[in-house]
Amino acid sequence: MLEGIDEAKTVTIITNKPDEISQIILYELKRGVTFLDGKGAYSSDTKGVILTVIPTSDYYKLKQRYARDLEYEMVGYVCADDGRFYKYIW
């Protein structure tokens, strides 16, 4: 792990509406997005998976400001700078 002044978080979001969330990340936060295909092992339901690495300040913008405006539930997994994982349901 590289350490420096700018801290970032790796965010994985599992959602039914990956296009809407990716537009927020791409055009409002001006950060890159990678799409992955997700399929539940038990339910076989397909979901969109978004992977992005964003500065900590943008993570809080996404979580606090934008996630509240979205009218659907999304599950996010965050890898913190120390390597620990956290699960959030927004």
Side-chain angles (χ1 to χ4, degrees), residues 48-88:
V49 180
I50 297 172
L51 178 66
T52 186
V53 178
I54 55 177
T56 301
S57 60
D58 285 343
Y59 163 73
Y60 288 109
K61 287 179 191 175
L62 179 66
K63 183 179 175 196
Q64 293 174 358
R65 180 174 172 199
Y66 300 119
R68 279 192 225 141
D69 295 338
L70 301 173
E71 297 180 1
Y72 45 85
E73 182 179 285
M74 58 185 177
V75 178
Y77 294 90
V78 178
C79 180
D81 298 324
D82 59 6
R84 291 182 291 170
F85 280 89
Y86 301 93
K87 177 181 178 182
Y88 296 97

Side-chain angles (χ1 to χ4, degrees), residues 22-52:
S22 67
Q23 296 300 307
I24 292 171
I25 297 169
L26 285 169
Y27 297 110
E28 294 183 34
L29 298 179
K30 299 187 183 347
R31 301 295 170 186
V33 172
T34 298
F35 286 123
L36 304 171
D37 293 324
K39 181 178 178 182
Y42 178 77
S43 66
S44 295
D45 291 341
T46 58
K47 302 263 185 193
V49 180
I50 297 172
L51 178 66
T52 186

